[in-house]
Amino acid sequence: MNITLGVTKFSQADFTSLSKGNAKIIFASLYPFEKGFFINAAGRGSLSAWLCNFVTDIGFHRIRHLQQHTNYFVDLEREYNFLKNSQKSFKIDNQEYSWRLISNQNTLSKSLSNQYEIAVILSIEGAHVFNTGLSEYGKTTSELEVLENIRKIKKWEHPPFYITFAHNFNNDLCGHAQSLEPIKYFVNQKKGMHSGFTGLGVKALHELLSTENGNPIYIDIKHMSLQSRKDYFKILESDYSLNIPPTIVSHGAVNGISLKQKNKSTHSDNFYHSDINFFDEEIELIGKSNGLFAIQFDTRRIANPRLVKKTLKTLVRKQSTHLAAQVIWQQIKYIAEILDKKQLFAWGTACIGSDYDGTINPLPGVWTTEYFYSLKKDLLTQSSSYLKGSNPLTLKENKTITPEEILSKFFFYNTKNFLQTFY
């Protein structure tokens, strides 16, 4: 079904797969579904719920509830409490594994010291969770409620480390990029799409980044419209110039295009040319902020569709992660080359942002996190070939690094170092 329809009906990142793939740190996103998914061209009733459940697998009755409720924040609190109270240990081949919710540097260090434990750090996908974007469903957005809800999550025992500020539909805070192209005639993303920050959005941004009401919750710019991203960087420049917070892309890809020069790179035909993906100048700003660019393992975003087309052969081919490694490596090296041109360290920004279990179409051969072992081997081949060959890197620290160091940073240490700096 995945190969023929692009519909993924299996989990890509359950804790068994994560453990087998040797994951040590993951970001688990809390996401109360937006109503725009379920109130669509098929209406707001049972037919729509049945069709949406076919794609999402979250349950017919759950979708019927989502069609009718008007309180995202209550939904968020329920998700948080469900995860917090979930079973945290399990066995694989008679070996006991566990996972732990992390809330500070101390608990992270303890978790990483346990070979069989996964550190789970919370994030939120979409600032609609503060009860915005509901006006067309009968609930007016309240500034007081939005700001109070932000203060509430900062007081959680395990507050989120970052928030994906925009998502798929209007949230009254900032514009979103088009993201649902395969079903654009089924759902309506038009309201708020491609617009910029609103006045309330700026206030919410400041409340999230404030250190006066708890630790800052950093901003993930994935799903923001291009105009919103431009506004965001201007806000950082004007209001945070003395202490610019790190910018996060939690699950993104480059598009191979420069905003200033209005031209595509030599290899841009390898990339997916959409403004939901990121431009050269944005990569530079993320690098300068000591931020993270987490690369998404979704065939719809990471590359030109012709490069990642799946066939039945991809199910049985012995070295099936080879194609995935190629398109992931072209993202890693493109980011590195942009940063190197700006005299920045090239290999400290990119990491994994798979977006697994996020209704994506996983790359051929990397169906779940369990396949990360073989993926790493193929990426090692790609990085070795690149460093040995003629490449455009100029800084000595970027040219003399080993392939093993590049991959250890991408798979683990860039994320760990980022958390040690900003958590």
Side-chain angles (χ1 to χ4, degrees):
M1 186 176 291
N2 175 269
I3 292 172
T4 56
L5 298 178
V7 176
T8 306
K9 303 284 282 184
F10 54 87
S11 174
Q12 303 107 60
D14 58 72
F15 281 107
T16 298
S17 296
L18 286 164
S19 298
K20 288 182 176 181
N22 199 33
K24 291 299 296 174
I25 301 172
I26 70 162
F27 293 93
S29 178
L30 300 175
Y31 171 50
F33 267 100
E34 294 145 290
K35 293 172 72 69
F37 273 115
F38 309 118
I39 298 175
N40 47 48
R44 55 172 63 217
S46 296
L47 175 60
S48 172
W50 183 85
L51 291 170
C52 292
N53 186 50
F54 174 76
V55 175
T56 64
D57 258 353
I58 65 172
F60 174 84
H61 295 291
R62 168 70 174 149
I63 292 172
R64 290 294 286 142
H65 167 75
L66 293 172
Q67 289 174 324
Q68 297 164 38
H69 86 97
T70 54
N71 197 317
Y72 288 133
F73 193 73
V74 167
D75 219 21
L76 175 72
E77 290 180 310
R78 288 172 177 167
E79 275 194 35
Y80 168 65
N81 286 318
F82 176 83
L83 187 63
K84 190 170 71 167
N85 295 314
S86 296
Q87 181 176 332
K88 295 180 176 61
S89 62
F90 51 98
K91 281 191 175 182
I92 303 174
D93 298 329
N94 293 320
Q95 173 61 55
E96 184 152 319
Y97 290 80
S98 62
W99 60 273
R100 181 198 302 218
L101 278 175
I102 304 302
S103 54
N104 53 48
Q105 193 66 243
N106 184 45
T107 52
L108 176 62
S109 296
K110 287 181 180 178
S111 181
L112 292 178
S113 68
N114 184 340
Q115 179 182 353
Y116 300 107
E117 184 169 279
I118 297 172
V120 178
I121 299 171
L122 293 183
S123 66
I124 289 175
E125 185 137 24
H128 66 283
V129 299
F130 304 125
N131 269 345
T132 65
L134 288 165
S135 58
E136 59 191 297
Y137 308 109
K139 180 177 174 60
T140 303
T141 297
S142 162
E143 178 180 317
L144 289 175
E145 182 182 18
V146 168
L147 299 181
E148 181 56 31
N149 285 341
I150 292 173
R151 296 180 192 119
K152 284 180 181 178
I153 66 169
K154 285 195 165 193
K155 293 177 182 177
W156 284 355
E157 180 184 0
H158 308 285
F161 181 66
Y162 68 80
I163 182 168
T164 310
F165 201 77
H167 204 216
N168 293 304
F169 298 94
N170 172 59
N171 68 5
D172 299 324
L173 302 174
C174 78
H176 55 282
Q178 185 173 13
S179 57
L180 302 172
E181 297 93 332
I183 55 172
K184 64 182 178 182
Y185 299 113
F186 187 67
V187 298
N188 186 353
Q189 287 189 275
K190 290 181 180 178
K191 186 176 182 180
M193 190 164 67
H194 304 313
S195 62
F197 265 75
T198 67
L200 177 56
V202 175
K203 291 180 181 179
L205 179 73
H206 289 319
E207 195 73 27
L208 287 161
L209 290 174
S210 173
T211 56
E212 296 178 1
N213 55 13
N215 291 331
I217 296 175
Y218 295 111
I219 305 302
D220 167 24
I221 61 174
K222 175 61 190 279
H223 285 291
M224 280 188 190
S225 66
L226 177 58
Q227 184 57 55
S228 290
R229 301 196 308 258
K230 289 179 178 179
D231 291 347
Y232 165 80
F233 286 119
K234 286 180 181 177
I235 293 168
L236 294 193
E237 185 179 358
S238 62
D239 298 351
Y240 297 88
S241 59
L242 297 179
N243 187 22
I244 293 180
T247 294
I248 296 169
V249 172
S250 66
H251 54 295
V254 307
N255 60 23
I257 304 171
S258 167
L259 279 170
K260 292 178 181 177
Q261 299 173 1
K262 302 292 183 183
N263 68 317
K264 300 173 185 176
S265 74
T266 308
H267 303 291
S268 70
D269 284 345
N270 293 333
F271 301 121
Y272 181 63
H273 297 151
S274 167
D275 64 7
I276 195 171
N277 285 350
F278 294 87
F279 294 84
D280 295 359
E281 291 79 6
E282 296 177 293
I283 297 167
E284 176 189 346
L285 290 169
I286 292 165
K288 285 182 175 178
S289 76
N290 295 310
L292 272 186
F293 193 112
I295 295 171
Q296 184 178 15
F297 292 0
D298 186 352
T299 59
R300 300 186 188 105
R301 297 284 176 240
I302 197 170
N304 186 317
R306 65 177 171 78
L307 298 179
V308 286
K309 186 176 180 180
K310 295 176 184 174
T311 67
L312 291 175
K313 289 182 180 179
T314 61
L315 282 174
V316 297
R317 192 168 55 190
K318 187 175 180 181
Q319 295 180 327
S320 58
T321 59
H322 179 68
L323 177 58
Q326 283 184 316
V327 295
I328 293 168
W329 177 251
Q330 73 181 11
Q331 293 279 331
I332 297 172
K333 83 176 175 67
Y334 191 88
I335 292 168
E337 289 172 3
I338 291 294
L339 297 176
D340 181 77
K341 284 180 185 176
K342 300 301 177 180
Q343 301 298 292
L344 297 168
F345 181 55
W347 308 107
T349 300
C351 64
I352 295 175
S354 66
D355 201 22
Y356 279 179
D357 286 342
T359 321
I360 69 160
N361 188 2
L363 290 168
V366 194
W367 304 103
T368 73
T369 53
E370 187 176 346
Y371 293 84
F372 281 5
Y373 273 120
S374 54
L375 174 65
K376 190 173 184 179
K377 291 178 182 178
D378 278 333
L379 279 170
L380 188 63
T381 301
Q382 295 285 330
S383 57
S384 298
S385 176
Y386 176 78
L387 291 174
K388 289 176 182 177
S390 176
N391 63 66
L393 300 176
T394 58
L395 287 187
K396 183 179 178 180
E397 62 180 345
N398 294 334
K399 291 177 70 71
T400 58
I401 192 170
T402 67
E404 291 79 9
E405 286 176 303
I406 291 174
L407 270 299
S408 67
K409 286 178 177 295
F410 175 70
F411 274 85
F412 178 68
Y413 283 101
N414 284 346
T415 301
K416 180 188 177 185
N417 293 341
F418 182 82
L419 290 168
Q420 287 179 332
T421 302
F422 296 107
Y423 208 176

